[in-house]
Amino acid sequence: MNSVLITGATSGIGKALVSIYTAKGFEVTATGRDLLKLSELKKHHPSIKVLSFDVSQQKQVLDAAEEVSMLDQLILNAGNCEYMETVNPFDSDLFERVIRTNLLSVGYCLEAFMPKLNPHSQIGIVSSSVTYIPFTQSQAYGASKAGLNYLAQSLSIDLASQNIGVSLIQPGFVETPLTDKNTFDMPAKVTAEYAAKAIFKGMQAKALSIKFPTLFINMLRLMSWLPFGLWRKIAISKVKK
Ligand SMILES: NC(=O)c1ccc[n+]([C@@H]2O[C@H](COP(=O)([O-])OP(=O)(O)OC[C@H]3O[C@@H](n4cnc5c(N)ncnc54)[C@H](OP(=O)(O)O)[C@@H]3O)[C@@H](O)[C@H]2O)c1
């Protein structure tokens, strides 16, 4: 039986991934930091194994890995989004928190879980389509996800000789508790189930890049071709005074 470990499995995209991987017959290890949410998840999917740890705490991640058997897929999905209310003064606590949760955590998980990967396995790293263009108030979130882009693509070069694939996953807006907090328009928002389906399909195909929804991604790609000076003027004109 194929096996997968999913971080951030207690909510949103991760939770939807647990449903799809379970339905497809995978042996699923679902991880999160909230015991109550994990036991609820286990109630819905009795066959899964649940593991509790905070992805931003290296020791907790390393300890958890001792309880994990060999894996065919590893999906590093846990993350959080915090927008910066102001940039001057700059909130370096927020910046550190977001970088720790979204970027350093992936380093801890790679250290802990890569030794558990079977040959020909696949790692999925959940970044974001936010990295196509710089958006207002996204300094911390965008920087953390841009870091993941580089990490994932660079890893995929060095892991090729070990037959381990890396999929860089860049969702557009997905309806989850993370985006429920947003007060701005979120064009082309898809459901968590849609996102999980796209990620599952891409992971099975060992795709280097998993991006969705296509129309929205193409629109961002087009905008990213604008000279930065022009995009900056447009973005400044939209910033609420
Ligand atoms: N939703 C979108 O539009 C969107 C778009 C692009 C990328 N993404 C990325 O997709 C991933 C999943 O996001 P989502 O929208 O599904 O959000 P979500 O519903 O808030 O789920 C985030 C998951 O990550 C877990 N998590 C957060 N910090 C953690 C920590 N320190 N240790 C362990 N687990 C932690 C959460 O656990 P708790 O339940 O305990 O908080 C939760 O299970 C994130 O990396 C996000 O950046 C989302």
Side-chain angles (χ1 to χ4, degrees):
M1 191 193 279
N2 283 321
S3 56
V4 63
L5 184 145
I6 302 161
T7 68
T10 52
S11 177
I13 298 172
K15 197 170 172 182
L17 281 169
V18 171
S19 294
I20 194 163
Y21 273 90
T22 307
K24 298 286 184 185
F26 273 68
E27 199 175 89
V28 176
T29 302
T31 81
R33 58 181 166 175
D34 184 320
L35 285 173
L36 211 64
K37 288 184 189 171
L38 282 173
S39 79
E40 277 298 309
L41 194 65
K42 174 91 179 152
K43 249 188 236 161
H44 279 94
H45 304 285
S47 68
I48 67 172
K49 174 176 175 174
V50 293
L51 258 184
S52 167
F53 60 90
D54 183 328
V55 289
S56 68
Q57 302 300 319
Q58 184 189 31
K59 180 157 173 13
Q60 286 190 31
V61 183
L62 287 170
D63 288 348
E66 287 177 18
E67 307 195 25
V68 172
S69 34
M70 294 306 284
L71 297 167
D72 300 298
Q73 293 192 16
L74 172 64
I75 305 185
L76 303 177
N77 159 75
N80 202 358
C81 179
E82 289 186 72
Y83 294 108
M84 302 198 81
E85 287 293 319
T86 70
V87 289
N88 188 11
F90 193 85
D91 185 347
S92 67
D93 287 336
L94 182 154
F95 192 72
E96 182 177 335
R97 201 161 54 236
V98 173
I99 297 286
R100 175 167 294 286
T101 304
N102 291 355
L103 181 59
L104 296 182
S105 67
V106 170
Y108 303 147
C109 289
L110 289 170
E111 178 185 21
F113 300 123
M114 255 203 293
K116 304 285 178 175
L117 292 178
N118 285 320
H120 305 288
S121 52
Q122 192 72 13
I123 301 172
I125 294 184
V126 181
S127 171
S128 169
S129 57
V130 75
T131 58
Y132 277 98
I133 17 184
F135 291 100
T136 172
Q137 297 185 297
S138 304
Q139 291 80 12
Y141 185 68
S144 72
K145 294 300 188 182
L148 287 182
N149 290 0
Y150 199 100
L151 172 66
Q153 293 186 326
S154 166
L155 258 186
S156 86
I157 296 169
D158 285 313
L159 288 177
S161 61
Q162 296 176 38
N163 286 316
I164 296 174
V166 182
S167 298
L168 170 61
I169 302 166
Q170 292 178 279
F173 289 113
V174 183
E175 196 174 341
T176 69
L178 182 143
T179 49
D180 285 349
K181 296 179 286 191
N182 294 345
T183 50
F184 53 83
D185 281 345
M186 289 177 279
K189 189 164 65 173
V190 299
T191 63
E193 290 67 34
Y194 178 106
K197 237 174 157 174
I199 294 171
F200 179 80
K201 192 171 161 213
M203 288 290 288
Q204 300 320 111
K206 297 181 183 284
L208 287 174
S209 164
I210 303 171
K211 301 171 177 154
F212 55 86
T214 310
L215 212 62
F216 179 67
I217 294 292
N218 286 342
M219 187 192 78
L220 285 178
R221 189 179 283 152
L222 267 177
M223 285 159 73
S224 74
W225 290 342
L226 289 176
F228 174 64
L230 181 54
W231 166 250
R232 180 174 169 273
K233 275 191 187 142
I234 297 169
I236 289 171
S237 72
K238 290 189 177 303
V239 171
K240 282 185 200 131
K241 297 282 183 284

